[in-house]
Amino acid sequence: NGQRVTGAVLYREVARDWLVRDKQKQSLRLEDKEDLASDLALWFARDKLRGVSARELEDWFDHWLHAKGSQSRYATLSREVLYEDLRNSTFLKRIDQADAPAQSRLEFAHTSLFEFFLARGLLEAVRKHQRDRWQIAPVSDETLNFFGQLLEADATRNQLLEQLSAWRLSALPQASHLQLAYAQWALEHQLPLP
């Protein structure tokens, strides 16, 4: 389709392939799993988490589902089925503690998957005018690069850049620093600049 192939475009396609791998066993739609992974990455970044227990993940997931509303297609599905779908997601891996099995945790299967979904979550936050979701600790260069590449490939790039430019007019702790970090990265790497 004439789109430049970047690391972010490849990751998006690989992530989608992973997310649809066991489609017949899944209760969550692909689009929702992408949003879920992005929101999970934003939570991990905001709270400086590397992984969480299954119980913590289920509690977070309950809040995520609640935000979808009572009319959501998931409102009538069994929570246990949804939990199992989440725990078995291909973007997560379980880390077991040999000496304390009850302390096992779930984390992103690979750092680059976390960085990709974090970048996607930041882009969706711009799209939805949710600047507070940018109030996270500094991110990796790879996340900034993924963000710029996703922005570059987005059909609504100009509107997103306008939104990012509008955000520059007022300071917001952490979010302003992240915006500046992206602007510097974009300038140095010829990525879309607000």
Side-chain angles (χ1 to χ4, degrees):
N1 66 4
Q3 181 181 24
R4 186 167 80 98
V5 177
T6 64
V9 171
L10 288 173
Y11 256 82
R12 182 179 57 213
E13 295 309 312
V14 168
R16 284 183 179 158
D17 285 348
W18 276 27
L19 293 173
V20 298
R21 186 182 300 174
D22 293 322
K23 191 173 183 178
Q24 68 277 10
K25 299 177 191 171
Q26 296 177 0
S27 51
L28 295 166
R29 292 186 313 197
L30 171 63
E31 308 80 38
D32 292 331
K33 267 206 168 168
E34 289 175 320
D35 289 344
L36 176 94
S38 298
D39 290 344
L40 185 63
L42 283 166
W43 173 45
F44 278 25
R46 185 194 70 221
D47 290 1
K48 300 176 185 167
L49 302 170
R50 180 172 169 87
V52 294
S53 70
R55 182 69 186 153
E56 290 168 316
L57 183 62
E58 289 170 1
D59 288 345
W60 174 85
F61 188 47
D62 285 338
H63 292 296
W64 189 84
L65 288 169
H66 180 74
K68 292 275 182 201
S70 60
Q71 300 304 313
S72 162
R73 71 185 304 266
Y74 305 115
T76 59
L77 291 177
S78 160
R79 281 293 161 102
E80 287 308 314
V81 170
L82 292 168
Y83 292 156
E84 184 176 346
D85 191 5
L86 175 63
R87 286 190 303 267
N88 293 328
S89 293
T90 53
F91 62 86
L92 295 176
K93 68 179 176 182
R94 175 179 237 104
I95 305 296
D96 291 320
Q97 307 295 327
D99 56 339
Q103 294 180 10
S104 67
R105 69 179 194 274
L106 294 153
E107 60 183 49
F108 277 86
H110 195 276
T111 302
S112 59
L113 275 175
F114 166 73
E115 292 164 334
F116 169 77
F117 282 115
L118 179 56
R120 185 186 179 281
L122 292 169
L123 187 68
E124 289 306 307
V126 176
R127 188 181 320 282
K128 296 173 182 174
H129 307 274
Q130 296 172 327
R131 189 177 183 207
D132 61 308
R133 300 197 84 184
W134 277 58
Q135 289 185 284
I136 59 176
V139 301
S140 68
D141 291 346
E142 290 78 8
T143 300
L144 295 174
N145 205 45
F146 277 141
F147 177 80
Q149 291 173 357
L150 288 170
L151 180 59
E152 181 179 57
D154 198 289
T156 62
R157 176 181 55 243
N158 292 337
Q159 294 91 333
L160 295 169
L161 287 168
E162 286 175 20
Q163 182 61 43
L164 278 170
S165 292
W167 284 358
R168 291 185 311 183
L169 300 176
S170 63
L172 185 64
Q174 293 179 304
S176 297
H177 292 286
L178 183 52
Q179 288 168 240
L180 178 60
Y182 172 69
Q184 290 171 328
W185 183 266
L187 186 62
E188 293 170 11
H189 296 88
Q190 293 85 43
L191 290 167
L193 190 60

